[in-house]
Amino acid sequence: MIGCIDLSVYQWRNRLLIAAAPSPDDPSMQAFRARWQHRESEIADRDLLVFHLYEDRPGRVGKTTIAPQVAETLRRELDIPAGTFTLLLIGKDGASKLRAAEPVRPEEIFGRIDAMPMRRQEIRQREQPPG
């Protein structure tokens, strides 16, 4: 279980998708999880790290458990109000790219990421033949 998280360690390495809800049973969180199931390859392709934050319960970053007090600290740092569902997309540059009060379709998130200059550069670099 992770006992401390400094989001700056992900800067320039990962994009962050942070879903926060009062509990895993929150209807918006359930909808979010259902929409993002089985999207692992698309998530990995975009260097996206998915966080699930809950109030007074352990959360997750990827498949790693986050202590409840760490999730609470992140919620405070990210200005996520208690009792609400909030979805945040943070770019590799550390800047907020999206804040929503409801689950957003993966296609919308992927489209937003794919339109980012850094992502377009990543795609071009992958398409270049080796050598």
Side-chain angles (χ1 to χ4, degrees), residues 94-115:
S96 178
K97 307 298 182 182
L98 172 81
R99 181 179 281 261
E102 70 269 339
V104 175
R105 292 179 19 254
E107 294 77 16
E108 184 178 333
I109 298 289
F110 294 149
R112 192 173 287 246
I113 290 170
D114 292 347

Side-chain angles (χ1 to χ4, degrees), residues 5-18 46-49 51 61 89-97 118 122:
I5 293 181
D6 175 3
L7 294 181
S8 69
V9 301
Y10 300 110
Q11 192 168 358
W12 307 118
R13 292 182 18 201
N14 293 97
R15 294 173 182 93
L16 309 179
L17 184 64
I18 300 169
R46 290 167 177 85
D47 299 326
L48 190 61
L49 195 54
F51 287 70
V61 56
L89 175 62
I90 299 174
K92 284 187 174 183
D93 61 359
S96 178
K97 307 298 182 182
M118 188 176 294
E122 292 166 0

Side-chain angles (χ1 to χ4, degrees), residues 5-77:
I5 293 181
D6 175 3
L7 294 181
S8 69
V9 301
Y10 300 110
Q11 192 168 358
W12 307 118
R13 292 182 18 201
N14 293 97
R15 294 173 182 93
L16 309 179
L17 184 64
I18 300 169
S23 77
D25 302 326
D26 179 85
S28 293
M29 182 59 87
Q30 289 179 338
F32 171 81
R33 286 196 320 262
R35 289 177 179 178
W36 286 85
Q37 257 184 321
H38 311 295
R39 304 304 286 261
E40 292 86 4
S41 65
E42 294 160 293
I43 290 168
D45 184 53
R46 290 167 177 85
D47 299 326
L48 190 61
L49 195 54
V50 181
F51 287 70
H52 296 82
L53 304 180
Y54 307 112
E55 297 170 19
D56 302 325
R57 293 191 191 185
R60 283 193 350 253
V61 56
K63 296 182 188 270
T64 304
T65 302
I66 301 171
Q69 61 271 25
V70 174
E72 177 57 32
T73 299
L74 286 174
R75 290 174 63 91
R76 263 195 321 274
E77 287 175 5

